Amino acid sequence: MRYDAVILGFGEAGKTLAGALAKQGKKVVLVERSRGMYGGTCINVGCIPSKSLVTSAAEAKLHADAPFEEKAARYAEANAEKRRVTGLLRGKNYDKLNDLENVTVMDGFGRFLSGHEVEVLLTDGGSTVLEADRIFINTGSEPVIPRIEGLEGNPHVYFSETLMDEEKLPRDLVMIGAGYIGMEFASMYANFGSNVTVLQDGDVFLPREDRDVAEAIHGLLEKQGVKILENAKTSRLDGGDVIFEKDGVQQTLHADAVLVATGRKAATEGLQLDKAGVAVTPRGAVETDALLRTTAPDIWALGDVNGGPQFTFVSLDDYRIVMSQLNSGSRSRDDRQNVPYSVFMDTPLGRVGITEAEAEKKGIPVRILKLPTAAVPKAQVLRHTGGFLKAVVHAETGKILGASLLCPEAYELINTIKLAMDEDLDYTVLRDRIYTHPTMTEAFNDLFAL
Ligand SMILES: Cc1cc2nc3c(=O)[nH]c(=O)nc-3n(C[C@H](O)[C@H](O)[C@H](O)COP(=O)(O)OP(=O)(O)OC[C@H]3O[C@@H](n4cnc5c(N)ncnc54)[C@H](O)[C@@H]3O)c2cc1C
């Protein structure tokens, strides 16, 4: 039987596309290599489990003086809650598609045989070949594994996914890498009660952020007890001993767990893309144009695998672009507008648009508005006053060009700023609105009045 569509991977884009195509009467097969991954990375090993743990960690920090055993017990409970939530969502995701008459969820690893043929190595053994008019690649991303002696097969070594699955709270956690996911984990495990040390290979902390923002994050993490060692290059691991060089001096740290957080790369291994004429970029992602078409006709790539920003909401937007195209619409990656992001640390960061440093580099005349979090009444109510809210506003047009919000609920607030930017609103619109009280949003009255 020839299908209208075969989708490789049960990620955010793939599952949404499968449902939408099926509702249009198309026959769809969705191939997923792991029964534990229905719904994709976000639901099973990414956003949802990490935010479930972040929530529990915020509660756990109220018991910072408790003995370690009590903290460990609290962590085990948090882990059980995380498993409950992910299990629930995984089941719902599966049922939502599997209950559709036109969708077949197939358990197996898909790989190309040609531009219209996919071979599925079935999870329960054997294989089958699917023919399709259109094929959509949504295989996501996987951790980058750095070449460090003693890392492979070391039981002390974890990646984000495996660490979150470990039911024992590590007393000493050493992290290799200081990226965004890493900082979220550093903050979360510090709140649970681990001694966290971050080894950063380089001397610029969070290089994409303005220096005042990065320094404030650094300070807030240190206040939580996280040690961040800059210019610390890990040379090898010996069991739980992490041997690194800092400022030319070799040092050793002992860890119960070593979290490797050195980024994620497109998951293309084993796909046999060459058999379909699908090219990859120099960084190994599937090459796509602004409409997410690959170099082969009738094959698209959506989500992390196409090398775009690695966020669930970007994957969802990739789905919108492809669906619009199939329905003769005009969406493309070029009209995506501002892509915000959030880092769910104890004091969260919400970011959108350009930074002050970028504005300076581009020679754009800007006004910088900066309000301490402590000046917001709701922050006092929440007893969470660290950080600040910073906006970059065009000095002549009054348009908001960017914002860095380092304050409670920044991950919610940033969406309002994104909306104002997308709609090309003047900063005075946010300044002069009425907002409910007491909320963090009303900080915009003061931030934009500066
Ligand atoms: C710890 C962590 C925290 C994160 N937190 C956030 C957050 O707070 N907010 C946010 O927006 N993003 C977050 N992300 C990123 C987000 O999870 C990803 O960007 C998003 O899930 C990518 O979705 P996707 O559609 O590309 O595919 P995925 O959801 O990755 O799905 C790909 C699927 O394809 C399957 N697969 C792979 N190869 C094959 C094959 N050959 N055949 C069949 N199946 C295959 C995989 O098993 C997987 O289920 C986080 C990521 C991590 C790791």
Side-chain angles (χ1 to χ4, degrees):
M1 174 172 172
R2 193 175 169 108
Y3 293 91
D4 294 306
V6 164
I7 301 173
L8 297 179
F10 202 141
E12 181 73 14
K15 69 184 179 195
T16 318
L17 185 66
L21 290 174
K23 280 177 194 150
Q24 291 186 346
K26 304 273 192 281
K27 292 266 175 226
V28 182
V29 181
L30 181 79
V31 185
E32 172 51 53
R33 70 175 165 188
S34 162
R35 289 197 172 106
M37 287 293 281
Y38 300 138
T41 301
C42 171
I43 278 164
N44 298 290
V45 295
C47 331
I48 298 299
S50 59
K51 271 69 217 184
S52 169
L53 288 176
V54 162
T55 304
S56 300
E59 290 160 10
K61 87 170 172 180
L62 302 175
H63 307 274
D65 295 331
F68 184 77
E69 291 64 34
E70 205 181 304
K71 293 177 180 175
R74 211 164 269 122
Y75 179 70
E77 274 169 34
N79 219 280
E81 168 60 14
K82 179 213 75 177
R83 277 198 306 278
R84 185 195 67 77
V85 174
T86 51
L88 178 84
L89 294 181
R90 183 162 55 246
K92 276 182 185 279
N93 268 264
Y94 181 77
D95 293 344
K96 202 170 163 188
L97 283 190
N98 202 50
D99 290 351
L100 294 174
E101 204 188 312
N102 287 333
V103 178
T104 305
V105 178
M106 193 173 279
D107 295 318
F109 184 92
R111 59 185 191 183
F112 285 94
L113 292 182
S114 73
H116 290 99
E117 282 170 307
V118 162
E119 180 183 35
V120 183
L121 308 173
L122 297 164
T123 304
D124 291 331
S127 66
T128 186
V129 175
L130 305 171
E131 262 186 80
D133 290 346
R134 289 172 173 147
I135 301 175
F136 303 92
I137 309 170
N138 181 225
T139 50
S141 61
E142 55 201 11
V144 171
I145 303 178
R147 263 192 232 130
I148 296 174
E149 192 190 321
L151 190 146
E152 213 184 304
N154 185 333
H156 294 271
V157 170
Y158 294 86
F159 295 91
S160 58
E161 171 181 350
T162 49
L163 186 63
M164 285 193 287
D165 253 2
E166 176 59 72
E167 283 173 40
K168 261 174 77 181
L169 180 67
R171 194 184 282 269
D172 294 301
L173 172 65
V174 171
M175 292 178 35
I176 301 176
Y180 293 104
I181 291 182
M183 289 312 96
E184 218 167 87
F185 274 60
S187 172
M188 164 171 108
Y189 278 91
N191 272 354
F192 274 123
S194 297
N195 301 314
V196 182
T197 308
V198 178
L199 302 181
Q200 183 196 326
D201 175 12
D203 57 0
V204 186
F205 180 61
L206 298 179
R208 280 173 65 182
E209 306 305 331
D210 276 334
R211 288 308 80 204
D212 56 344
V213 175
E215 276 160 27
I217 293 172
H218 199 286
L220 286 164
L221 286 169
E222 280 189 335
K223 215 168 147 192
Q224 274 187 267
V226 176
K227 282 196 204 93
I228 303 170
L229 304 182
E230 276 103 9
N231 280 320
K233 191 165 174 48
T234 310
S235 32
R236 70 189 168 87
L237 303 178
D238 183 1
D241 285 343
V242 184
I243 297 102
F244 63 98
E245 204 170 287
K246 181 167 162 52
D247 308 323
V249 180
Q250 187 170 298
Q251 302 182 32
T252 302
L253 271 174
H254 180 75
D256 302 308
V258 180
L259 173 65
V260 178
T262 47
R264 294 174 67 85
K265 60 175 184 5
T268 54
E269 213 179 305
L271 284 178
Q272 303 186 157
L273 294 170
D274 50 323
K275 293 199 175 178
V278 173
V280 293
T281 67
R283 295 178 69 101
V286 174
E287 190 180 316
T288 53
D289 63 10
L291 297 177
L292 308 182
R293 296 177 298 198
T294 68
T295 48
D298 304 325
I299 303 180
W300 288 256
L302 307 86
D304 286 3
V305 74
N306 69 24
Q310 295 176 348
F311 299 115
T312 296
F313 48 87
V314 170
S315 180
L316 182 64
D317 200 50
D318 281 0
Y319 148 76
R320 291 190 196 104
I321 290 169
V322 168
M323 205 58 204
S324 148
Q325 203 180 132
L326 300 179
N327 292 335
S328 313
S330 62
R331 272 298 318 274
S332 102
R333 191 152 53 186
D334 294 339
D335 61 27
R336 179 167 276 156
Q337 296 185 289
N338 302 290
V339 177
Y341 57 89
S342 300
V343 190
F344 293 73
M345 299 170 293
D346 194 50
T347 304
L349 173 72
R351 272 274 296 114
V352 68
I354 63 170
T355 58
E356 179 181 1
E358 279 164 338
E360 227 165 70
K361 210 166 142 197
K362 290 180 179 159
I364 304 172
V366 291
R367 277 200 316 123
I368 302 300
L369 312 175
K370 208 166 154 182
L371 180 77
T373 302
V376 186
K378 178 66 187 284
Q380 297 290 347
V381 171
L382 293 171
R383 277 167 263 149
H384 199 141
T385 52
F388 54 79
L389 297 87
K390 178 176 177 181
V392 180
V393 174
H394 197 289
E396 287 149 16
T397 65
K399 301 296 177 208
I400 304 166
L401 302 180
S404 304
L405 309 180
L406 184 62
C407 62
E409 296 168 17
Y411 38 76
E412 300 286 353
L413 296 181
I414 203 67
N415 292 316
T416 302
I417 300 219
K418 176 203 158 35
L419 186 67
M421 288 172 66
D422 286 354
E423 294 303 314
D424 215 21
L425 301 180
D426 198 274
Y427 76 97
T428 52
V429 175
L430 289 188
R431 183 192 65 191
D432 299 336
R433 291 298 101 170
I434 58 166
Y435 302 110
T436 50
H437 172 79
T439 57
M440 287 303 296
T441 309
E442 63 182 343
F444 294 153
N445 289 148
D446 293 334
L447 174 67
F448 290 105
L450 288 169

